[in-house]
Amino acid sequence: MASTSPRNWAGNITFRAARQHRPSSVDELRRIVADAEHVRALGTGHSFNRIADTDGDLVRLDGLPRRIDVDPASSTVTVSAGLRYAQLAEHLHARGHALANLASLPQISVAGACTTATHGSGNGRQNLAAAVAAVRLVGPDGGLTELRRENPQDRLDGAVVALGALGIVTDVTLDVEPTYEVAQWVYTGLSGDRLTENFEEISGAAYSVSVFTDWASDDNQVWLKRRTDREDPGHLGRTWLGARCADRPLHPIPGISPAHCTEQLGVPGPWHERLPHFRPDFTPSSGAELQSELILPRTAAAEAFEALRRLGHRIAPVLQTAEIRTIAADDLWLSPAHRQDSVALHFTWIEQAAAVLPVIEAVEAVLVPLGARPHWGKLTTLAPGTLAGRYERAADFRQLMLDHDPAGKLRNAFVSEVFPDLG
Ligand SMILES: Cc1cc2nc3c(=O)[nH]c(=O)nc-3n(C[C@H](O)[C@H](O)[C@H](O)COP(=O)(O)OP(=O)(O)OC[C@H]3O[C@@H](n4cnc5c(N)ncnc54)[C@H](O)[C@@H]3O)c2cc1C
């Protein structure tokens, strides 16, 4: 494969790989891994940090044969790991199936999203990784291993949000359910006081809820995604908590065309055309940006909001938009929502790292004491060596890495910095 240095989607990371590969068969992938000194997979490159990077061999899996096998008996689908959610969702819906949740954009790969604990929103919605029932991966010697949820000795709960450090995932099995429709409504002008006082009501008002804010004004947007088979698909009234029901489509970032966004104004449509904010055939978000995100216990939401409102004068000048979402607890060892219902505080910043990083640091200074954990795929100023200590199962994950990959062929600098005692 060509040896020009690839960059991530945002363009803020140039990968340092000595070699790049795009195998066309699993056997070819196995040989690449067996022969490599250090190897990592790259998904669609939507992470904002060096989690996918390596100075050895970097492998893209989107050249492997495409696989989407639905098993109605177990209500699962097994897919090739490099598949994008957009491709999978369309296929599933056409055959009467659905996933429980999606992220804000459908362009990301299944394996890449699950390994960083990518999430959507909803008080009852877990991370996308929680849908994983099995993974098949190539280990450091080129051997194939399958880890299944029903086999406790496989320790699947540790192996899904795995930072790419256990092996190169070739196939993922996900839970599916019957397809469903969602109607999306947007409210504007929610005040900061109402947001803090009524957050439980707001986040519980639909199957999936996002609040967009700049932490400085009283013009917050609430995006409600209501599942028509479980909820009233109608809006909550012309005004709700002092906010107004929008009468035209909106983009979460002021000034960008809503044509990039999934359909609003309450028009019901398939789950995969409403749960993400952005359409698969348009640039998601703004395209020129940096992102950071912190995940906290949901019980800390009100205190966190007030702390961020006090910082609003520093946040707003370097911000494009900020988003508040909720995530239901799961059992995945390195999930930021491990065993706690969570609130996720996301920031889409302007592209200028020098101006943005000090503000991320200020945000982290007020949110870390409330139990915040950074998103594995986004920017943080926290010392990497302090991150593992925020997870009660970190020692178990460390052991899992040693069991799968004693010599560290699949570990990169990012993982080694998070687990500095691994050598
Ligand atoms: C515009 C935009 C919007 C976003 N919205 C959301 C959102 O709504 N919610 C959210 O939580 N996050 C969001 N993110 C972050 C994004 O979901 C994560 O960074 C996710 O990991 C990206 O998936 P990817 O396929 O690009 O993975 P990459 O960034 O390519 O890789 C991520 C990690 O996965 C590993 N990996 C990839 N494939 C494999 C494999 N086959 N086997 C083993 N390891 C593998 C890589 O080595 C790396 O460690 C957003 C990012 C962008 C740019």
Side-chain angles (χ1 to χ4, degrees):
M1 190 178 159
S3 62
T4 47
S5 297
R7 302 174 95 192
N8 66 339
W9 174 86
N12 67 314
I13 299 284
T14 301
F15 297 111
R16 294 182 280 223
R19 286 163 298 279
Q20 303 165 53
H21 308 271
R22 190 167 176 262
S24 55
S25 71
V26 171
D27 282 344
E28 186 185 347
L29 170 66
R30 294 174 64 179
R31 281 194 296 276
I32 292 166
V33 175
D35 292 347
E37 198 176 329
H38 290 289
V39 59
R40 296 286 289 184
L42 179 63
T44 56
H46 281 76
S47 297
F48 289 83
N49 56 30
R50 294 205 168 272
I51 191 168
D53 199 11
T54 178
D55 53 11
D57 294 80
L58 190 64
V59 187
R60 289 199 79 127
L61 299 194
D62 55 359
L64 292 185
R66 176 178 145 142
R67 176 178 184 198
I68 309 182
D69 293 336
V70 177
D71 176 12
S74 61
S75 293
T76 59
V77 61
T78 298
V79 304
S80 29
L83 202 71
R84 295 172 188 253
Y85 276 97
Q87 300 165 304
L88 171 61
E90 215 163 277
H91 182 102
L92 285 178
H93 175 66
R95 286 154 186 81
H97 306 288
L99 301 172
N101 203 2
L102 287 170
S104 69
L105 78 175
Q107 287 91 341
I108 49 180
S109 77
V110 173
C114 290
T115 209
T116 63
T118 289
H119 61 91
S121 190
N123 287 354
R125 314 281 79 74
Q126 296 176 313
N127 284 324
L128 306 191
V132 175
V135 294
R136 205 151 70 113
L137 45 83
V138 177
D141 59 357
L144 266 177
T145 312
E146 187 168 39
L147 308 175
R148 302 192 65 82
R149 187 191 276 154
E150 62 268 27
N151 300 336
Q153 70 276 16
D154 289 353
R155 295 172 286 178
L156 185 72
D157 281 347
V160 182
V161 182
L163 318 183
L166 303 185
I168 308 294
V169 178
T170 58
D171 303 274
V172 183
T173 301
L174 302 171
D175 297 326
V176 295
E177 59 186 276
T179 194
Y180 55 89
E181 292 205 326
V182 174
Q184 177 162 242
W185 296 98
V186 175
Y187 280 79
T188 61
L190 180 81
S191 73
D193 287 345
R194 285 292 184 102
L195 170 64
T196 303
E197 286 158 18
N198 300 96
F199 185 63
E200 278 301 302
E201 179 182 347
I202 293 166
S203 68
Y207 184 75
S208 176
V209 177
S210 289
V211 177
F212 290 96
T213 179
D214 62 5
W215 292 114
S217 73
D218 269 339
D219 193 13
N220 303 307
Q221 282 183 16
V222 187
W223 289 44
L224 300 174
K225 297 168 193 271
R226 309 192 96 191
R227 192 169 156 159
T228 62
D229 61 341
R230 293 188 184 172
E231 300 169 298
D232 180 347
H235 59 61
L236 296 167
R238 287 277 145 233
T239 60
W240 171 57
L241 298 175
R244 293 169 305 282
C245 189
D247 55 9
R248 62 188 170 86
L250 293 167
H251 191 289
I253 301 177
I256 301 185
S257 165
H260 297 215
C261 294
T262 50
E263 190 155 356
Q264 301 160 37
L265 305 178
V267 179
W271 56 282
H272 64 293
E273 294 180 5
R274 298 293 182 277
L275 290 177
H277 307 318
F278 305 111
R279 294 180 195 257
D281 38 356
F282 282 88
T283 301
S285 196
S286 88
E289 65 198 64
L290 297 171
Q291 295 187 8
S292 67
E293 186 167 29
L294 294 160
I295 293 100
L296 295 83
R298 206 164 95 209
T299 48
E303 211 178 326
F305 296 173
E306 289 311 293
L308 292 178
R309 288 176 74 191
R310 285 192 292 275
L311 268 184
H313 64 288
R314 291 196 60 195
I315 295 172
V318 288
L319 188 77
Q320 301 197 52
T321 191
E323 183 176 7
I324 306 165
R325 289 176 282 187
T326 54
I327 311 170
D330 61 42
D331 285 321
L332 305 174
W333 299 355
L334 290 192
S335 163
H338 179 74
R339 301 223 164 135
Q340 63 188 15
D341 289 333
S342 298
V343 61
L345 302 174
H346 162 87
F347 301 83
T348 301
W349 306 103
I350 61 170
E351 238 183 335
Q352 293 157 32
V356 165
L357 287 171
V359 185
I360 296 181
E361 193 172 13
V363 166
E364 291 178 332
V366 297
L367 296 187
V368 163
L370 302 179
R373 295 163 170 160
H375 190 300
W376 288 114
K378 301 186 183 181
L379 297 177
T380 177
T381 65
L382 299 177
T386 67
L387 298 183
R390 295 167 206 276
Y391 290 85
E392 63 191 77
R393 301 299 298 270
D396 294 324
F397 183 74
R398 183 181 176 283
Q399 188 57 50
L400 194 62
M401 281 194 286
L402 290 173
D403 293 346
H404 277 266
D405 181 22
K409 184 186 272 196
L410 288 142
R411 296 196 280 279
N412 60 0
F414 181 97
V415 175
S416 298
E417 285 173 13
V418 175
F419 292 90
D421 56 334
L422 273 177

